[in-house]
Amino acid sequence: MSFKKYIEKLQWADYRLPKRDKDNYTSFIEGFLIGKNDEPLAKLISLYLNKVHQINIEYNTWIEQLDHYAYKQNPSMSLVDALVCVLQELENYQGDLLDEIDHSIGELINWEEGKGKEQDKVNLKNGTIVKVGDFICLADKIGDDYKYTRFHDASLRNPSWDLLYPSGKDFEEVYFYVDGEDSMTITNFGRVRRIFSSLVSKIEVITTNGDLTIYTDVFKINVEQALEKQEIEIISDHGQKIEATSLSDLREDFQYFALGLITPAELFRRDSFSRLPLRNKSWYKYHQGINGDWHENT
């Protein structure tokens, strides 16, 4: 596909803009494509920016992707100049942009395993007594990284989306799980993502099967190792008003997946890993609307 006809007309028409700001550039570009009756071009550009420049396709509109690209090239670059540059790159691109893209699944691990012998309470190596009904608080693995997200600052032109994807920064000893068909087996979904940092969950089951393991509503935790790595804190309920974070919607999705009723893509949809865990975050100041626009939380 040749993009030369687009490049020449864009460069010429750009000079006719009465006011060169982001809103006018956006209207001009969208109007230009509508006039060309070439809507698939926007999708092609979006796929290209996602695959070649790693500019997220899930949480950005294609115009936001283009703005991110412009910022990476030169903070003063206009959207039209950015579009021209991308089209010039596409002119020489030989790869396939139509591969299926689904970063949300990541390294999905799914296996069944036995639960082990249940106990009401246990003594840990450090002398701490842990019992069913106590709470665990996940450590903070986010730190200051929230500052680079649009959830904290919607005006960012080069936001990071790393918090929403599996990474080496995730929990090592805390896993997602759901009960199997009988109470003695579970389906394990792999490591808990760091977006769940600082959430509080109630201990429902404690088992010993070689290693000491505790289970909450959706978390399976290798407790001794998790404590050694400072991934969790045990909170005993001494009449305190401790409120666990409700993850019932996520648990329901896991159960549906274990029964084969939903696909991995549906299981790891963005609502499960953004809005749900973010509700109690103090830095969660903005949310994304259905059309991709960002709105301040009220």
Side-chain angles (χ1 to χ4, degrees):
M1 181 176 183
S2 175
F3 300 100
K4 290 181 180 177
K5 60 179 181 180
Y6 294 100
I7 293 169
E8 292 171 358
K9 291 188 177 180
L10 277 168
Q11 288 174 321
W12 174 78
D14 180 19
Y15 293 104
R16 302 178 63 189
L17 278 175
K19 187 176 180 182
R20 298 185 183 186
D21 59 21
K22 185 177 178 180
D23 288 340
N24 271 319
Y25 278 131
T26 300
S27 296
F28 165 64
I29 290 170
E30 291 178 340
F32 179 85
L33 290 186
I34 290 172
K36 285 290 184 183
N37 195 26
D38 202 344
E39 191 175 322
L41 180 60
K43 182 178 181 181
L44 194 64
I45 292 167
S46 183
L47 290 168
Y48 176 79
L49 290 173
N50 181 79
K51 185 170 185 178
V52 176
H53 291 278
Q54 290 80 54
I55 299 176
N56 183 279
I57 197 172
E58 267 193 304
Y59 299 97
N60 286 305
T61 64
W62 81 276
I63 290 291
E64 286 174 329
Q65 284 180 286
L66 190 63
D67 190 42
H68 188 152
Y69 170 87
Y71 185 86
K72 284 176 66 176
Q73 303 302 309
N74 184 335
S76 63
M77 177 180 280
S78 77
L79 283 174
V80 173
D81 287 340
L83 179 55
V84 168
C85 288
V86 170
L87 291 176
Q88 288 171 335
E89 290 180 23
L90 273 167
E91 190 77 37
N92 300 311
Y93 183 68
Q94 301 297 318
D96 182 9
L97 294 174
L98 300 179
D99 321 7
E100 184 179 350
I101 294 176
D102 198 342
H103 296 292
S104 61
I105 298 175
E107 296 179 6
L108 173 62
I109 303 171
N110 176 20
W111 73 87
E112 285 195 355
E113 59 184 59
K115 242 186 185 179
K117 183 180 178 181
E118 295 188 12
Q119 297 184 226
D120 291 331
K121 65 179 179 180
V122 293
N123 291 316
L124 303 181
K125 292 176 183 177
N126 63 8
T128 303
I129 297 176
V130 179
K131 58 187 182 301
V132 172
D134 287 345
F135 294 81
I136 62 99
C137 180
L138 298 184
D140 178 13
K141 284 183 171 278
I142 294 175
D144 289 338
D145 288 355
Y146 68 83
K147 293 179 180 178
Y148 311 108
T149 72
R150 281 209 176 109
F151 301 111
H152 175 68
D153 182 357
S155 68
L156 289 175
R157 294 180 61 193
N158 60 333
S160 166
W161 304 102
D162 180 64
L163 289 182
L164 303 182
Y165 297 111
S167 77
K169 298 177 182 179
D170 290 336
F171 290 88
E172 296 178 21
E173 304 296 340
V174 186
Y175 295 81
F176 294 118
Y177 91 98
V178 70
D179 286 319
E181 291 186 10
D182 61 80
S183 62
M184 298 308 293
T185 62
I186 67 167
T187 299
N188 194 315
F189 294 104
R191 298 192 304 161
V192 168
R193 301 179 188 181
R194 64 189 183 122
I195 194 66
F196 286 79
S197 287
S198 305
L199 295 191
V200 175
S201 197
K202 189 174 184 178
I203 298 174
E204 297 182 349
V205 176
I206 302 174
T207 70
T208 53
N209 187 13
D211 290 328
L212 183 60
T213 308
I214 59 179
Y215 297 86
T216 70
D217 51 353
V218 295
F219 301 143
K220 171 207 165 193
I221 304 166
N222 301 324
V223 62
E224 298 281 14
Q225 298 92 322
L227 285 168
E228 286 176 9
K229 296 177 181 179
Q230 299 183 328
E231 291 194 335
I232 64 168
E233 178 187 355
I234 305 291
I235 308 172
S236 295
D237 185 3
H238 298 300
Q240 308 172 58
K241 290 185 178 179
I242 302 172
E243 187 174 342
T245 307
S246 174
L247 298 174
S248 57
D249 290 346
L250 184 59
R251 181 181 177 87
E252 188 176 75
D253 282 348
F254 284 155
Q255 290 171 331
Y256 287 151
F257 178 78
L259 293 170
L261 300 177
I262 60 175
T263 67
E266 290 170 326
L267 169 63
F268 286 85
R269 68 187 191 276
R270 71 182 186 186
D271 278 357
S272 297
F273 292 100
S274 59
R275 293 191 176 97
L276 184 61
L278 288 176
R279 287 174 188 164
N280 296 327
K281 307 290 186 186
S282 61
W283 47 263
Y284 180 40
K285 298 180 178 179
Y286 296 90
H287 65 275
Q288 191 175 30
I290 194 169
N291 294 322
D293 300 324
W294 287 84
H295 308 279
E296 190 169 3
N297 296 333
T298 54

